[in-house]
């Protein structure tokens, strides 16, 4: 069979029509063949439609049946025990997860387009491993790329919330298994044998007598065989040859040798010129007037224009377009600008902390006599994401359309925002997703893409926009500062040896409003509205926060207030701070009740998986070993994303403990149900643990009279190689489930808590304000 129809983006009407037709699509096949398979020349392609009968597992097809009855009253804060953020993301995205482009090319290589974003977490490698496994090809036979924004994908194109591998696992396996099943049927017909006699390996289908046919040469028997696709079954895990094997990142060599092209390296629009923006001295400031006479006279400067800057367009700056970035910087520095005041010029950290204290809900009153309580107030600073590559974008707005190239985890939301800004339809906006150097939550938002499109529209030419490190630190987004009040009420053991008991645990958090307008809410706000009568930030809080201990009456509540600092989720969303406060109090409870911190946790943890990872790090880390003065161990645990993590930290202090505290050893045990790529997951674990060192011991952002104090790595001191512990042990628990759980953000809260608890045991200081250098200096 052959066809000359080009692969092009499907119009929405065509998609809907195709979804209703279970047969093979005709010659005018769109770029993706919904519920269809096609041989184009000798190229075999596959993509499955939303809701394809027989392809969804029973629980996915009946998603509504998964929604539990919510308990009333005090049960609501424990919503995450029954329905967590991973559930919400999977439920909302499931109808869109079965849309992939997987095509066998003429040279027998496999083209695979991934509707997620690669920011260094290794998702491309893991996804390619799944395709290679089910298709029976070698990993290096697959050529992966990233999908552009496509409206029909909706929430099926979001990368974040540590749900990427969980969301890819079933759909990608089923789609690829369907393709392999049809290849086998076609090969069987061509070779004149039964399909059950065909074996496949490395892109070759073989008959028992040794005759073979390449996948690319299979055509007979393929057309109209969607019945086979519907009954295709993924491999039995016992037969896996690729999944679960340590695999180096496919692009590792290209990254270290400079072959990978990031946004500013690309020449997709040859006349796109380097662009930088002069920004106000304080947050929310605007241009009152400016004189660009000198700047325009400088060599290489092409154009200068006033432009709205933040995503809402409430602030403004002056864009300078030049032949090179060096010339653009010189032009920017030559501008004479008069600025208006910002929206928070009278605000500093202490002012925000006071306002958060005022809105924080009071903890529950102490229980009757014969009980005691402990806890306190925990303060965490604003935290920059600080990815290695700053925010960048290429934009070409012309001829009634907008084309953008950028790294974005929520491309459909970016497409919609750019369209609104430029008074276009989303179908007139093309957002191309490219590999990017880091995110940690920063690229959930698409600030550079929006700003670049605005500038291109204003100056009437294509541009390459780059935020400098200083700009992204001072004017970018940050994890919100937060104030946590935690109180635990307990009863000590009896005179006759009975164990004590925790009767209540109360956690009240107050934070600046976390901006969640990045696409997550588009799919799950309505779903969340069916579950609980609170807004989207409350939905995120209650579906991520749970206490994994049997501590009687528990209450975990959040209150928020809007401030001028732009915010975005940072690794762990709320858990990177809330779990630390909880785990510190758990340690203090153990000591107050006269118990060993390990034994106390093992006695009070509420599930076996958490106990197992804790037991493992205790064994591997030699918990309780004798330590010299100034050195101690500490535990941290976290349960989220259908996974479990435990961390044991060894920390050495000096006579100036908070300033010179150093993590000397980390032992991590993870239960993620199933590990797809141990090498990639180990790298994620080490990266998250390093971020924990940064956030607990070393750094944060400070707001001084409406301006962020820090500007770059020189004063926003993230952990360096010399701060990485010389010994890191990572252990993966045995496979205990089919679908992999999330892992990208899992370890940070546990590692951060372990570091804080080790510091407390080494110094006798109760950690209450972070980073600990700030806490210690305040005495």
């Amino acid at each position: 069979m052959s066809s000359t129809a080009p692969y092009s983006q499907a119009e929405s009407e065509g998609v809907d029509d195709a979804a209703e037709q279970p047969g093979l699509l005709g010659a005018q096949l769109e770029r993706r063949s919904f519920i269809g398979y096609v041989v184009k020349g000798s190229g075999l392609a596959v993509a499955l439609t939303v809701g394809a009968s027989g392809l969804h597992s029973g629980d996915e097809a009946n998603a509504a049946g998964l929604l539990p009855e919510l308990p009333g009253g005090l049960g609501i804060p424990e919503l995450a025990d029954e329905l967590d953020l991973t559930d919400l993301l999977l439920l909302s995205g499931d109808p869109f997860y079965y849309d992939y482009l997987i095509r066998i090319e003429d040279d027998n290589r496999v083209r695979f387009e991934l509707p997620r974003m690669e920011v260094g977490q290794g998702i491309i490698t893991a996804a390619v491993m799944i395709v290679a496994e089910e298709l029976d090809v070698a990993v290096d036979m697959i050529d992966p790329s990233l999908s552009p924004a496509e409206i029909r994908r909706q929430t099926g194109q979001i990368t974040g919330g540590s749900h990427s591998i969980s969301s890819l696992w079933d759909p990608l396996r089923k789609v690829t298994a369907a393709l392999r099943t049809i290849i086998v049927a076609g090969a069987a017909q061509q070779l004149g044998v039964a399909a059950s006699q065909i074996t496949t390996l490395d892109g070759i289908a073989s008959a028992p007598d040794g005759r073979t046919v390449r996948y690319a040469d299979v055509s007979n028997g393929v057309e109209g065989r969607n019945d086979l696709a519907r009954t295709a079954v993924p491999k039995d895990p016992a037969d896996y040859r690729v999944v679960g094997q340590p695999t180096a990142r496919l692009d590792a060599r290209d990254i270290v040798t400079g072959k990978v092209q990031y946004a500013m390296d690309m020449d997709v629009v040859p006349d796109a010129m380097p662009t930088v923006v002069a920004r106000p001295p304080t947050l929310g400031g605007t241009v009152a007037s400016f004189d660009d006479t000198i700047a325009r006279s400088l060599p290489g400067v092409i154009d200068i224009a006033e432009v709205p800057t933040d995503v809402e367009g409430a602030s403004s700056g002056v864009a300078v377009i030049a032949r090179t970035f060096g010339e653009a910087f010189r032009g920017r520095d030559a501008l004479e600008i008069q600025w208006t005041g910002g929206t928070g010029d009278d605000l500093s950290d202490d002012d925000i902390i006071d306002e958060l204290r005022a809105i924080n809900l009071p903890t529950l009153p102490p229980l009757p006599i014969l009980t005691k309580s402990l806890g306190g107030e925990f303060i965490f600073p604003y935290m920059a994401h600080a990815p290695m590559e700053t925010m960048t974008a290429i934009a070409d707005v012309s001829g009634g359309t907008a084309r953008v190239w950028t790294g974005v985890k929520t491309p459909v939301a970016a497409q919609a925002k750019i369209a609104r800004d430029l008074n276009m339809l989303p179908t007139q906006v093309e957002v191309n997703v490219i590999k990017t150097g880091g995110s940690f939550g920063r690229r959930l938002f698409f600030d550079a893409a929006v700003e670049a499109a605005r500038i291109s529209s204003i100056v009437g030419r294509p541009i390459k926009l780059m935020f400098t490190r200083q700009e992204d630190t001072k004017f970018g987004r940050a994890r919100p500062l937060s104030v946590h009040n935690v109180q635990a009420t307990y009863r000590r053991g009896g005179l006759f040896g009975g164990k004590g008991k925790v009767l209540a645990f109360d956690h009240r958090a107050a934070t600046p409003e976390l901006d969640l307008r990045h696409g997550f809410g588009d799919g799950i706000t309505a779903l969340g509205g069916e579950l609980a009568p609170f807004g989207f930030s409350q939905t995120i809080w209650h579906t991520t926060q749970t206490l994994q201990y049997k501590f009687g009456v528990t209450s975990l509540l959040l209150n928020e207030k809007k401030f001028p600092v732009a915010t975005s989720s940072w690794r762990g969303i709320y858990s990177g701070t809330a779990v630390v406060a909880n785990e510190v109090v758990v340690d203090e409870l153990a000591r107050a009740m006269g118990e060993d911190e390990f034994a106390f946790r093992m006695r009070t943890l509420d599930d076996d998986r958490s106990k197992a990872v804790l037991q493992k790090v205790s064994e591997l880390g030699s918990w309780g070993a004798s330590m010299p003065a100034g050195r101690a161990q500490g535990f941290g645990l976290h349960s989220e994303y259908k996974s479990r993590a435990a961390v044991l930290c060894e920390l050495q202090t000096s006579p100036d403990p908070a300033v010179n505290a150093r993590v000397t050893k980390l032992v991590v045990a993870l239960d993620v149900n199933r590990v797809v790529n141990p090498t990639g997951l180990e790298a994620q674990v080490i990266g998250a643990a390093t971020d924990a060192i940064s956030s607990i011991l070393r750094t944060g952002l400070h707001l001084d009279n409406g301006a962020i104090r820090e500007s770059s790595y020189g004063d926003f001191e993230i952990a360096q190689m010399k701060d990485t512990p010389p010994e890191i042990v990572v252990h993966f628990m045995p496979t205990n489930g089919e679908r992999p759980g999330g892992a990208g953000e899992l370890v940070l809260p546990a590692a951060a808590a372990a570091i804080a608890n080790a510091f407390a045991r080494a110094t006798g200081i109760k950690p209450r304000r972070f980073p600990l250098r700030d806490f210690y200096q305040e005495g």
Side-chain angles (χ1 to χ4, degrees):
M1 173 185 172
S2 66
S3 170
T4 58
Y7 270 38
S8 60
Q9 182 167 348
E11 298 294 335
S12 59
E13 295 86 359
V15 170
D16 292 339
D17 291 343
E20 298 298 323
Q21 300 296 325
L24 190 72
L25 298 184
Q28 295 303 313
L29 182 74
E30 304 293 8
R31 186 170 69 84
R32 302 178 190 283
S33 56
F34 286 95
I35 206 159
Y37 302 82
V38 66
V39 179
K40 298 177 61 59
S42 59
L44 185 67
V46 57
L48 273 69
T49 187
V50 170
S53 173
L55 291 172
H56 292 233
S57 61
D59 59 344
E60 293 165 333
N62 186 26
L66 281 178
L67 304 183
E69 292 294 326
L70 272 184
L74 291 174
I76 288 179
E78 296 299 323
L79 174 62
D81 285 334
E82 302 296 332
L83 185 86
D84 64 11
L85 180 59
T86 298
D87 291 318
L88 286 184
L89 290 170
L90 293 177
L91 288 169
S92 65
D94 180 71
F96 314 105
Y97 287 152
Y98 288 78
D99 178 8
Y100 298 98
L101 174 60
I102 305 173
R103 186 167 71 186
I104 311 299
E105 302 286 10
D106 292 351
D107 60 0
N108 213 38
R109 296 189 63 77
V110 181
R111 176 187 169 191
F112 168 48
E113 195 176 274
L114 177 65
R116 298 292 187 277
M117 185 190 177
E118 175 66 65
V119 294
Q121 78 277 49
I123 185 175
I124 286 179
T125 301
V128 164
M129 290 174 67
I130 296 171
V131 172
E133 185 69 77
E134 294 296 339
L135 200 54
D136 277 338
V137 299
V139 166
D140 60 8
M141 290 178 63
I142 300 175
D143 299 316
S145 60
L146 302 178
S147 302
E150 295 175 300
I151 298 170
R152 70 171 184 277
R153 291 189 184 280
Q154 298 188 39
T155 54
Q157 204 169 352
I158 289 175
T159 306
S162 289
H163 88 298
S164 290
I165 298 301
S166 297
S167 66
L168 291 169
W169 179 249
D170 278 344
L172 190 52
R173 288 165 58 239
K174 291 173 182 176
V175 168
T176 312
L179 176 55
R180 180 184 172 276
T181 298
I182 288 185
I183 289 171
V184 167
Q189 183 160 332
Q190 284 189 225
L191 297 173
V193 298
S196 61
Q197 294 180 288
I198 295 291
T199 58
T200 54
L201 182 66
D202 292 338
I204 303 294
S206 303
D209 59 7
R211 289 176 299 132
T212 64
V213 60
R214 301 187 315 159
Y215 287 2
D217 298 328
V218 172
S219 57
N220 295 335
V222 172
E223 186 170 357
R225 298 311 308 272
N226 293 311
D227 57 316
L228 294 175
R230 293 178 185 281
T231 59
V233 178
K235 282 186 180 180
D236 185 324
D239 297 328
Y240 284 168
R241 296 182 301 108
V242 180
V243 169
Q245 297 302 310
T247 303
R249 278 188 51 162
L250 301 179
D251 56 358
R253 180 177 294 274
D254 288 348
I255 290 173
V256 299
T257 57
K259 288 182 64 177
V260 172
Q261 285 203 328
Y262 298 97
M264 296 297 95
D265 303 317
M266 301 177 73
D267 194 25
V268 288
V269 185
D271 54 348
M273 291 294 114
T275 301
V276 297
V277 176
R279 303 179 189 275
T282 57
L283 300 174
T286 58
V287 176
S289 63
F290 72 96
D291 183 347
D292 61 3
T293 305
I294 297 175
R296 285 187 179 275
S297 70
L298 294 177
V301 173
I302 295 171
D303 203 354
I304 296 174
E306 181 178 348
V307 295
T309 50
D310 63 24
V311 171
E312 296 177 354
S315 187
S316 64
V318 180
V320 179
I321 300 94
R323 294 176 307 187
T324 68
F325 278 108
E327 291 169 331
F329 288 137
R330 286 191 287 273
R332 180 200 62 182
D333 295 343
L335 292 169
E336 296 180 5
I337 308 174
Q338 300 299 315
W339 302 97
T340 66
T343 53
D345 286 1
D346 58 344
L347 276 178
S348 297
D349 283 344
D350 288 344
D351 302 307
I352 293 178
I353 290 169
D354 288 343
E355 293 194 41
L356 292 177
R357 285 170 171 157
I359 68 168
N360 210 0
L361 299 170
T363 54
L364 295 174
L367 293 176
I369 58 173
L370 301 181
T371 66
K372 295 184 177 182
S373 64
L374 58 77
E377 179 185 75
F378 297 80
I379 299 175
F380 298 84
Y382 284 109
M383 182 67 65
H385 302 82
M388 186 64 70
E389 182 186 2
T390 61
M391 301 301 104
T392 56
I394 301 171
D396 180 12
V397 181
S398 60
T401 65
R403 296 184 301 155
V404 175
W405 289 260
T406 193
V408 58
K409 289 185 164 188
T410 52
V412 175
Q415 182 183 44
K417 171 60 178 173
I418 293 169
R420 290 194 299 271
D421 265 25
L422 301 180
N423 197 26
M424 292 180 175
L425 296 174
T427 51
Q428 295 172 296
V429 177
E430 175 186 317
V431 176
N432 298 284
V433 181
I434 58 178
K435 286 184 182 179
T436 308
S439 173
F440 316 113
R442 179 68 177 93
R443 297 183 202 277
L444 287 169
F445 283 93
F446 26 82
D447 306 342
V450 171
E451 195 170 301
R454 288 173 180 165
I455 296 171
S456 177
S457 177
I458 290 169
V459 302
R461 65 176 305 122
I463 68 158
K464 285 185 173 183
L465 176 67
M466 179 175 67
F467 287 24
T468 65
R469 174 70 55 201
Q470 291 79 7
E471 290 169 19
D472 204 35
T473 304
K474 286 183 170 293
F475 302 102
R477 294 178 178 272
R479 179 195 74 184
L481 181 154
S482 58
V483 176
H484 304 254
N485 288 327
V486 182
Q487 176 180 282
T489 302
Y490 65 97
R491 184 184 66 239
R492 285 183 61 91
L495 297 176
F496 302 102
K499 297 289 186 182
K501 185 174 184 179
V502 180
L503 304 175
F505 195 97
D506 191 19
H507 185 142
R508 302 286 191 261
T511 77
E513 183 179 280
L514 178 60
D515 195 341
L516 294 164
R517 296 170 298 169
H518 44 49
F520 271 37
D522 294 346
I524 70 177
T525 298
L527 184 63
E530 298 176 11
L531 304 179
F534 33 64
F536 189 52
S537 62
Q538 294 292 335
T539 299
I540 297 296
W541 170 266
H542 287 299
T543 55
T544 58
Q545 299 310 300
T546 185
L547 196 67
Q548 52 190 345
Y549 299 93
K550 294 177 284 189
F551 279 174
V553 178
T554 61
S555 177
L556 310 172
L557 298 178
L558 169 72
N559 211 356
E560 293 183 317
K561 182 175 181 178
K562 190 171 180 62
F563 291 96
V565 180
T567 61
S568 179
S569 303
W570 188 75
R571 303 186 85 158
I573 314 181
Y574 296 109
S575 299
T577 55
V579 168
V580 175
N582 290 342
E583 284 289 294
V584 168
V585 172
V586 170
D587 250 33
E588 293 174 3
L589 276 168
R591 291 191 287 271
M593 296 171 72
E595 295 187 48
D596 171 83
E597 292 91 338
F598 167 74
F600 177 72
R601 283 182 169 84
M602 291 295 289
R603 180 171 71 84
T604 57
L605 279 166
D606 64 5
D607 80 291
D608 291 339
R609 293 174 67 195
S610 294
K611 291 179 181 179
V613 291
L614 177 61
Q615 180 72 47
K616 181 56 66 174
V617 296
S618 172
E619 294 169 358
L620 296 177
S622 301
W623 169 256
S626 177
M627 298 275 166
R631 180 187 289 260
Q633 299 171 315
F635 284 121
L637 276 85
H638 186 42
S639 168
E640 200 171 350
Y641 318 112
K642 309 300 182 187
S643 300
R644 306 290 189 274
V647 177
L648 182 148
C649 167
E650 281 189 17
L651 180 139
Q652 174 68 55
T653 61
S654 71
D656 197 359
V659 174
N660 295 308
R662 173 170 168 73
V663 176
T664 57
K665 181 178 181 179
L666 284 172
V667 180
V668 184
L670 271 75
D671 178 349
V672 296
N673 296 323
R674 176 180 298 280
V675 178
V676 174
N677 181 10
T679 300
L681 183 52
E682 183 180 46
Q684 284 191 301
V685 167
I686 294 172
T690 304
D691 269 352
I693 294 171
S694 298
S695 64
I696 293 300
L697 294 179
R698 298 183 59 79
T699 197
L701 295 179
H702 299 82
L703 184 67
D704 298 327
N705 297 317
I708 295 295
R709 182 190 309 168
E710 290 74 20
S711 61
S712 188
Y713 293 140
D715 47 12
F716 183 74
E717 299 181 54
I718 63 172
Q720 302 175 32
M721 291 181 68
K722 64 183 178 64
D723 304 304
T724 302
E727 185 176 0
I728 301 178
V729 178
V730 179
H731 178 84
F732 302 130
M733 304 299 286
T735 297
N736 64 10
E738 179 58 29
R739 190 201 298 266
E745 301 166 81
L746 176 71
V747 171
L748 185 136
I755 294 167
N757 281 329
F759 176 85
R761 296 182 78 243
T763 64
I765 298 172
K766 292 183 178 180
R768 291 294 186 267
R769 187 157 186 177
F770 302 88
L772 288 171
R773 289 193 298 187
D774 287 359
F775 166 80
Y776 180 77
Q777 290 167 0
E778 292 182 5

